[in-house]
Amino acid sequence: MGKRVLIISSSPRKNGNSDTLCHSFAKGAKENGSEVTEIFINDKKINYCKACGYCETHNGACSQKDDMDEIIDEVLKSDVIVFSSPVYFYSISGQLKTLIDRFVAVYTKITGKEIYYLLTAAENGKSTFDRADACLDGLCDCLSDIKIKGMIYAGGVWKKGEINSTRYIQQAYDMGAAV
């Protein structure tokens, strides 16, 4: 039986380059028998963490009523989590950072996951992905029993659709199929 795979796409462009990598990863995982859920977070209402402390006294429940409950439920029941982001100004998208900050209510419950990063950027320099990678590593450092299983750093893609003529599409498919 396949694994439960959650793919979190933080691109602001539906079917943009990083979102397209998500679809390719999903196709590979599904064809290998995994159950796949894709969340396009730009379609979700996710408020900023208010650091109000409500979650500390309410078993991880947040005082805000938005789409995070649904996303957290998917995170907790998944075996594999894929974080995908375009890299803007050498870091992850604001959408993904906002979502990650909201994990504060439940981060101690996010354990035993396999993690993948799918990152795209217009620039293709040696250090293009360093800070984005560090942001995601920072999250993983706070979680328990996490295994970072794979990363794709797709540089040199800016305009929507440019990813389609690169080797990264096949790499994402292969990575998903190997789950």
Side-chain angles (χ1 to χ4, degrees):
M1 179 160 160
K3 296 179 180 177
R4 293 181 66 109
V5 177
L6 173 63
I7 300 174
I8 299 173
S9 175
S10 71
S11 175
R13 297 188 298 190
K14 195 161 251 180
N15 298 315
N17 293 317
S18 59
D19 194 41
T20 299
L21 283 181
C22 290
H23 301 322
S24 187
F25 188 103
K27 182 178 179 187
K30 286 176 188 174
E31 289 179 4
N32 197 32
S34 290
E35 179 184 330
V36 178
T37 301
E38 289 185 76
I39 296 177
F40 185 73
I41 63 175
N42 209 44
D43 285 347
K44 301 293 183 183
K45 179 174 176 27
I46 303 172
N47 298 322
Y48 301 111
C49 179
K50 295 180 179 182
C52 66
Y54 183 91
C55 60
E56 293 174 27
T57 59
H58 291 84
N59 196 31
C62 185
S63 66
Q64 302 185 75
K65 301 305 168 210
D66 58 11
D67 293 327
M68 273 306 291
D69 286 343
E70 165 197 342
I71 295 167
I72 287 171
D73 183 54
E74 290 294 333
V75 165
L76 294 176
K77 67 184 182 185
S78 295
D79 304 305
V80 176
I81 304 171
V82 178
F83 293 104
S84 177
S85 180
V87 172
Y88 299 137
F89 300 100
Y90 302 103
S91 193
I92 60 175
S93 69
Q95 291 88 334
L96 185 55
K97 179 61 172 134
T98 297
L99 180 136
I100 288 171
D101 286 349
R102 290 289 300 282
F103 284 161
V104 71
V106 295
Y107 78 94
T108 59
K109 298 177 184 178
I110 304 172
T111 64
K113 309 296 181 187
E114 296 177 1
I115 307 289
Y116 292 85
Y117 306 164
L118 305 177
L119 302 173
T120 61
E123 190 174 323
N124 201 15
K126 183 179 178 190
S127 63
T128 299
F129 297 96
D130 290 353
R131 290 183 193 104
D133 187 64
C135 285
L136 293 170
D137 284 349
L139 166 65
C140 291
D141 286 347
C142 294
L143 306 178
S144 297
D145 192 27
I146 297 299
K147 294 176 185 74
I148 300 173
K149 299 288 283 189
M151 300 164 228
I152 294 177
Y153 302 124
V157 295
W158 178 32
K159 293 184 177 148
K160 187 175 182 177
E162 285 183 328
I163 196 80
N164 291 313
S165 61
T166 70
R167 69 186 186 280
Y168 303 120
I169 293 294
Q170 186 64 45
Q171 287 176 353
Y173 174 87
D174 292 343
M175 196 176 279
V179 166

